[in-house]
Amino acid sequence: KKYVKLTKNAAEAEDLFNLVLHLLQEAAWTISNVTAGQPHQIQAVVDAGLIPGVIDIMMKVGLGGCV
């Protein structure tokens, strides 16, 4: 809940950034699990455009070396 309130405090900004990184990690993990499934599950991920979307976000936050 502490992430809901945005302030100019540097420590809280770092916490928010860490939350975003954690959410990206969870999204990547979820996509990984789904794409390890059946062909129709993999196709649903591709059709939804999730992979390019996650890669785009990762590039924007400076995690391009992870993809």
Side-chain angles (χ1 to χ4, degrees):
K1 296 185 187 237
K2 68 180 178 177
Y3 299 107
V4 175
K5 180 181 175 186
L6 297 177
T7 69
K8 294 180 181 180
N9 183 301
E12 290 180 3
E14 184 178 347
D15 286 345
L16 182 60
F17 182 74
N18 288 333
L19 174 64
V20 170
L21 292 180
H22 176 74
L23 292 174
L24 282 171
Q25 178 184 14
E26 291 296 318
W29 178 82
T30 301
I31 291 169
S32 174
N33 282 345
V34 172
T35 57
Q38 300 297 316
H40 71 277
Q41 294 169 311
I42 298 167
Q43 191 61 53
V45 169
V46 172
D47 291 347
L50 293 176
I51 295 171
V54 170
I55 291 172
D56 183 53
I57 292 168
M58 292 176 79
M59 297 293 283
K60 287 178 181 174
V61 298
L63 295 175
C66 296
V67 292

